[in-house]
Amino acid sequence: MNNVLKLILLIGMIWFVPDASAEGIEALSVTTNPDGSQDYSVTLQVLAIMTALSFIPAAVIMMTSFTRIIVVLGILRQAIGLQQSPSNQILVGISLFLTFFIMAPIFSQINDKALQPYLKEELTSIQALEQAKEPLKAFMLSQTRIKDLETFAKIAGYDQLDKPEDTPFIVIIPAFVTSELQTAFIIGFMFFIPFLIVDLVVASVLMAMGMMMLSPMIVSLPFKIMLFVLVDGWGLVMGTLARSFGLGV
């Protein structure tokens, strides 16, 4: 468990890594006064890193498969017509554990190339962060559309990039998030269609029977739940999400 927490911390710190040429960060500076007394002060770099710790959860979520999964599950719940079931806590929990499952090979590479050498003092913290960037960068590039990458590269002023691998990390992150949202909406649309057809059929039947005062949503809900269960909906959804990241292909 200790290693898992350290791995998450290392991944989160990737976004806030200082210049790789720096040899280290001085945590405490001591100033000797003319009268022989000494003043102690914490450097601004340490203060910046401590402040950055609060952004680590958001950074980790935005650089993994979590965004696509939670958006698809939210659209699926809306398509079925359930407002509070499964609850937000359950959806977030499912998304987190499915994210750990999908990202396990990436985390394993980061652990082997960066975390373990750092714990064995074979790499400095800056070197470990640089090594940890590579697997995560490769994963994000594999899921990012070239169009989105080019858009954010132009916005940032990088017009002379020869290949996607040359793109700076700070440009890849927003491009990756944009591509994830696009993909999530496409998958969500495909899941929405069968439930929409059920709603249309039920609404047509009720109108033909003259029962226009009865809400079609109330009548179609049990049919949509039954359809979802009969086709093994949860297995289908989880399998589709996993395969969308290249697993099991």
Side-chain angles (χ1 to χ4, degrees):
M1 190 64 181
N2 253 348
N3 283 347
V4 173
L5 294 175
K6 289 177 182 177
L7 181 60
I8 293 175
L9 181 62
L10 184 63
I11 294 171
M13 287 301 295
I14 289 175
W15 204 50
F16 308 100
V17 61
D19 185 2
S21 61
E23 294 182 359
I25 297 177
E26 184 182 358
L28 185 67
S29 61
V30 181
T31 305
T32 303
N33 298 319
D35 59 359
S37 60
Q38 292 180 326
D39 291 332
Y40 301 89
S41 63
V42 177
T43 58
L44 289 178
Q45 293 97 325
V46 173
L47 180 61
I49 288 179
M50 296 303 295
T51 304
L53 291 177
S54 60
F55 294 97
I56 286 179
V60 172
I61 288 173
M62 291 294 102
M63 294 188 294
T64 63
S65 57
F66 181 87
T67 301
R68 182 187 304 185
I69 297 170
I70 191 65
V71 171
V72 169
L73 293 181
I75 294 176
L76 176 65
R77 182 176 66 179
Q78 187 69 25
I80 297 176
L82 299 170
Q83 301 300 320
Q84 298 296 330
S85 182
S87 65
N88 291 333
Q89 293 86 343
I90 293 176
L91 291 185
V92 171
I94 293 173
S95 301
L96 281 174
F97 281 101
L98 192 55
T99 296
F100 287 138
F101 172 75
I102 293 172
M103 298 295 295
I106 312 301
F107 291 159
S108 179
Q109 292 180 42
I110 295 175
N111 181 63
D112 295 338
K113 295 181 179 180
L115 181 59
Q116 292 304 322
Y118 173 69
L119 294 177
K120 295 175 183 177
E121 299 183 354
E122 297 173 358
L123 296 176
T124 65
S125 58
I126 303 301
Q127 291 172 334
L129 288 172
E130 287 299 318
Q131 289 293 324
K133 274 185 179 182
E134 298 307 318
L136 200 56
K137 184 177 181 179
F139 167 77
M140 289 194 291
L141 283 175
S142 69
Q143 303 298 325
T144 303
R145 291 175 172 81
I146 298 297
K147 181 180 178 181
D148 294 328
L149 205 59
E150 291 176 346
T151 298
F152 283 96
K154 290 179 180 178
I155 293 174
Y158 296 98
D159 298 324
Q160 303 298 325
L161 297 174
D162 297 329
K163 52 185 179 179
E165 289 75 13
D166 296 336
T167 308
F169 205 80
I170 198 166
V171 174
I172 295 176
I173 294 175
F176 170 73
V177 173
T178 303
S179 292
E180 286 295 280
L181 290 174
Q182 178 80 356
T183 304
F185 274 73
I186 293 173
I187 297 175
F189 170 78
M190 296 178 66
F191 284 144
F192 212 109
I193 294 300
F195 300 109
L196 180 60
I197 293 175
V198 173
D199 284 333
L200 291 175
V201 170
V202 170
S204 299
V205 171
L206 290 178
M207 186 173 294
M209 296 175 63
M211 304 175 65
M212 291 176 291
M213 299 301 293
L214 183 62
S215 173
M217 294 295 294
I218 297 177
V219 179
S220 65
L221 180 58
F223 289 101
K224 288 190 288 187
I225 294 177
M226 180 181 66
L227 172 65
F228 191 70
V229 172
L230 288 177
V231 299
D232 189 21
W234 288 115
L236 181 63
V237 170
M238 301 304 174
T240 301
L241 286 171
R243 284 190 294 272
S244 70
F245 288 98
L247 295 183
V249 177

